[in-house]
Amino acid sequence: TQYCTFCEIVTPRRAKHCRLCGVCQRNLDHHCLYLLHCIADNNHRTFLLFSSLIAVQQIAFLTYCCVLVYTTRVITMATGTTVGVAEVVGVLADTLRGDYCMVILFVYNLATVLWMIPYLFVQLTHVSLGETMFFQHELGPRRQLSVKQRISNLLNFFMDRRFNHSTTYEHI
């Protein structure tokens, strides 16, 4: 336990004060500037599910855009027109002509997916090791967990059960 000078309380182990929220949080992962809220013990699972659903939606939108361009290209090829790089760019421009919103959304979704997938990988890695982004390796070097133990930790996390093979995680 430690004393929080901001909240003027004794905090349990693995609690951290968030200066942006002004409160102490158990198992603080990070403060999400997108949601303007701390991601901690009470909402970490919901945050990961929310982030995963956003990534799935963005991948679905990117797939839709690619199918739209591909089907337009196939129709162009069926008419007997030769198709090279310039023609594909032309078909893309014709397909999206006047629909700049679609182009902007495609670029935005692509950039977000390229950021979101590695972020989710890091988050799930920490969860499988019984850590958070803030509380990493708190007991020294990371102990190696087997694949079975890491999968068990992930299942326990998403089913709201205690971690069995955690190196550092404790429910308080």
Side-chain angles (χ1 to χ4, degrees), residues 1-12 15-19 22-25:
T1 60
Q2 57 190 12
Y3 184 76
C4 176
T5 57
F6 298 102
C7 296
E8 297 181 351
I9 61 170
V10 176
T11 59
K16 178 72 177 156
H17 183 83
C18 176
R19 292 184 185 201
V23 296
C24 288
Q25 298 282 348

Side-chain angles (χ1 to χ4, degrees), residues 116-131:
M116 182 74 79
I117 299 301
Y119 177 76
L120 285 173
F121 177 76
V122 168
Q123 280 284 322
L124 292 173
T125 299
H126 284 301
V127 168
S128 73
L129 293 170
E131 302 174 342

Side-chain angles (χ1 to χ4, degrees), residues 99-118:
D99 198 358
Y100 300 107
C101 183
M102 179 81 96
V103 175
I104 291 169
L105 286 174
F106 181 85
V107 171
Y108 170 76
N109 277 273
L110 182 62
T112 305
V113 163
L114 292 175
W115 171 83
M116 182 74 79
I117 299 301

Side-chain angles (χ1 to χ4, degrees), residues 10 20 25 28 32 40 44 46 51 59 61 76-78 82 90 92 109 129 133 145 148-149 152 161 169:
V10 176
L20 296 172
Q25 298 282 348
L28 179 68
C32 180
H44 193 190
T46 306
S51 299
I59 290 169
F61 178 79
T76 303
M77 287 174 48
T82 59
L92 179 59
N109 277 273
L129 293 170
M133 296 290 280
L145 298 177
K148 184 178 178 181
Q149 291 170 323
S152 174
R161 297 185 296 202
Y169 188 86

Side-chain angles (χ1 to χ4, degrees), residues 41-162:
D41 199 32
N42 59 340
N43 62 357
H44 193 190
R45 178 177 30 284
T46 306
F47 175 76
L48 285 178
L49 292 173
F50 172 70
S51 299
S52 299
L53 287 175
I54 288 174
V56 167
Q57 175 275 326
Q58 290 171 329
I59 290 169
F61 178 79
L62 293 172
T63 304
Y64 167 76
C65 289
C66 292
V67 167
L68 178 67
V69 171
Y70 178 76
T71 55
T72 305
R73 178 178 171 215
V74 168
I75 291 169
T76 303
M77 287 174 48
T79 61
T81 309
T82 59
V83 178
V85 174
E87 287 78 14
V88 171
V89 171
V91 168
L92 179 59
D94 290 341
T95 304
L96 301 175
R97 187 172 310 253
D99 198 358
Y100 300 107
C101 183
M102 179 81 96
V103 175
I104 291 169
L105 286 174
F106 181 85
V107 171
Y108 170 76
N109 277 273
L110 182 62
T112 305
V113 163
L114 292 175
W115 171 83
M116 182 74 79
I117 299 301
Y119 177 76
L120 285 173
F121 177 76
V122 168
Q123 280 284 322
L124 292 173
T125 299
H126 284 301
V127 168
S128 73
L129 293 170
E131 302 174 342
T132 65
M133 296 290 280
F134 187 83
F135 292 105
Q136 300 176 34
H137 319 296
E138 112 179 329
L139 296 178
R142 181 182 290 171
R143 189 181 77 186
Q144 295 297 319
L145 298 177
S146 70
V147 173
K148 184 178 178 181
Q149 291 170 323
R150 291 177 76 167
I151 291 171
S152 174
N153 277 348
L154 283 170
L155 291 173
N156 289 335
F157 175 82
F158 285 109
M159 293 180 180
D160 195 25
R161 297 185 296 202
R162 293 185 183 268

